[in-house]
Amino acid sequence: MAYAAYRETFGANLCGAPSAEHGQIRKLVVLDFTVPSRDAFAVRRLLANCPDTGVVRCVPRPHDSLVRLEIQLPADRVPEVMQVLMSSLPSGEMGMLTSWRRHLTDHGLTHGF
C-alpha cells in the first residue's frame, strides 16, 4: 500500500496556529472517521485548512452509503480537529485513535517511517 502526501488550500485556517517548524519532530496519530458518502468531500475540504492534517486512506462502504476516512494528524491537534469536524458536519462517527506506527503495522508495513 502506498501513501501519498499532498496539500490543498480552500481558504481560512480553521485549526489554529501554523504547523511546526522544520526540524521539530511531532507525534502523528490516525483518527478513523465515518461519514455519509455525500459528506466525504466536505471533510476533505475542512481538513485541507488544518495544518499537517489530511486523509491518508478512504474506505468506501457502498452498501451503507458511508465512507471511512483515516485521517493523519499531529497528536497535539486532536482536540482542534475533532472540534472542527463535530461543529461543521451534520453527521459522522468518530472511531479509533491510533499511533502512526500502529496504523502502518496494521496495514503490513512493520518497518515504519
Side-chain angles (χ1 to χ4, degrees), residues 58-72:
C58 177
V59 182
R61 293 174 34 192
H63 298 295
D64 302 331
S65 297
L66 297 173
V67 175
R68 185 171 57 88
L69 303 170
E70 294 178 1
I71 302 168
Q72 179 190 42

Side-chain angles (χ1 to χ4, degrees), residues 9-30:
T9 316
F10 292 105
N13 180 353
L14 299 175
C15 288
S19 61
E21 297 178 19
H22 293 287
Q24 183 180 5
I25 297 175
R26 298 177 87 174
K27 182 179 178 194
L28 297 175
V29 295
V30 177

Side-chain angles (χ1 to χ4, degrees), residues 42-53:
V43 172
R44 292 176 65 89
R45 287 189 69 148
L46 288 168
L47 296 176
N49 295 310
C50 296
D52 303 321
T53 302

Side-chain angles (χ1 to χ4, degrees), residues 51-103:
D52 303 321
T53 302
V55 175
V56 292
R57 191 161 183 249
C58 177
V59 182
R61 293 174 34 192
H63 298 295
D64 302 331
S65 297
L66 297 173
V67 175
R68 185 171 57 88
L69 303 170
E70 294 178 1
I71 302 168
Q72 179 190 42
L73 63 151
D76 59 341
R77 293 203 183 267
V78 171
E80 296 170 50
V81 171
M82 284 183 164
Q83 180 62 36
V84 166
L85 292 172
M86 289 188 298
S87 64
S88 302
L89 296 169
S91 62
E93 181 181 323
M94 298 276 179
M96 185 186 269
L97 184 65
T98 60
S99 71
W100 178 243
R101 182 170 298 281
R102 172 66 187 257
H103 172 77

